[in-house]
Amino acid sequence: MKKAILATKVGMTQIFNEDGVLVPVTVLQAGPCVVTQVKTVENDGYKAVQVGFVDKREKLVSKPVKGHFDKAGVSYKRYVREFRLDNAEDYSVKDEIKADVFAAGDKIDATAISKGKGFQGAIKRHGQHRGPMAHGSKFHRHQGSNGSATTPGRVFKGKGMPGHMGHVQVTVQNLEVVRVDADNNLILVKGSVPGPKKSLVTIKETTKVSK
């Protein structure tokens, strides 16, 4: 992996490509990210670039974290992430990674925390079927049998049950970058990207290339 950046999700819109075809896109406010630390094999055992994104007030920063930013000589950041880049040695502290690190046509992987949907039943959460809706059925939206009685006498782990739906880390692979607005640090990605508006999205060069 040679390219990565942090972004916030702005929302969705649609644009026309060069052939006049309507393309739905997700708008991401990508960067600028500031390099806060460069990790090397000699010092840390691996190569990586640590970046900060979105400014944060000093009163909200703990003393250890404040010392880390002061040592790097950069402003305090809300989000700090590491990218194990193959070309990590090419970066230095205080360098900026902007949206133009990507270009139209690039394939990316987008990672974010999905929208939370609260407590949901087995039908919505796992796509299970419902029972007959007639009055005499008495089995409508229940999840069905949960397990045997005496043997094994318990519910197996992984059983599809009602519970908290969403708010988990989701990665969508092989998304296509449609357009990059370097002046405004915007990246337009074809299709949907996980997470609600204003959420943090990690964009990386894709690890799998679709055939």
Side-chain angles (χ1 to χ4, degrees):
M1 182 177 68
K2 294 184 178 180
K3 296 185 287 186
I5 197 171
L6 296 177
T8 53
K9 187 174 178 180
V10 178
M12 290 198 70
T13 185
Q14 52 192 19
I15 62 173
F16 291 95
N17 62 13
E18 297 176 354
D19 299 326
V21 178
L22 190 69
V23 180
V25 294
T26 300
V27 182
L28 301 174
Q29 183 78 43
C33 296
V34 180
V35 176
T36 57
Q37 185 180 0
V38 178
K39 298 199 172 183
T40 61
V41 177
E42 294 77 14
N43 291 336
D44 307 283
Y46 64 98
K47 293 193 305 181
V49 174
Q50 185 187 91
V51 300
F53 180 51
V54 181
D55 289 335
K56 189 176 185 179
R57 287 181 293 165
E58 182 178 353
K59 66 177 292 185
L60 301 177
V61 182
S62 63
K63 285 187 177 180
V65 177
K66 182 176 182 295
H68 181 66
F69 286 122
D70 289 342
K71 181 180 179 181
V74 300
S75 59
Y76 310 119
K77 301 296 180 182
R78 183 173 301 276
Y79 306 108
V80 178
R81 296 292 186 273
E82 268 189 16
F83 298 127
R84 295 202 178 192
L85 302 179
D86 299 333
N87 57 340
E89 62 277 359
D90 295 339
Y91 290 91
S92 302
V93 176
K94 295 185 181 181
D95 285 353
E96 285 193 341
I97 302 176
K98 298 184 179 180
D100 56 8
V101 71
F102 290 98
D106 286 351
K107 296 288 187 176
I108 63 169
D109 296 339
T111 302
I113 302 298
S114 62
K115 287 185 179 181
K117 297 175 174 61
F119 189 96
Q120 300 298 335
I123 292 177
K124 179 168 183 175
R125 191 181 184 203
H126 300 292
Q128 296 181 3
H129 292 280
R130 62 170 174 81
M133 297 305 287
H135 292 290
S137 167
K138 297 184 179 180
F139 174 75
H140 304 300
R141 294 183 66 88
H142 192 270
Q143 75 268 29
S145 176
N146 292 331
S148 304
T150 305
T151 304
R154 62 187 176 85
V155 179
F156 287 117
K157 289 183 179 180
K159 170 67 180 175
M161 302 282 281
H164 187 192
M165 182 178 178
H167 197 69
V168 294
Q169 181 172 293
V170 177
T171 299
V172 179
Q173 297 179 320
N174 260 320
L175 295 172
E176 181 184 351
V177 176
V178 178
R179 187 179 300 172
V180 175
D181 185 351
D183 295 333
N184 298 308
N185 282 311
L186 297 176
I187 295 179
L188 276 59
V189 180
K190 183 178 181 180
S192 60
V193 170
K197 293 179 181 178
K198 299 182 181 180
S199 62
L200 179 70
V201 182
T202 302
I203 304 173
K204 297 180 181 179
E205 186 180 24
T206 190
T207 57
K208 298 178 182 178
V209 179
S210 58
K211 297 181 181 179

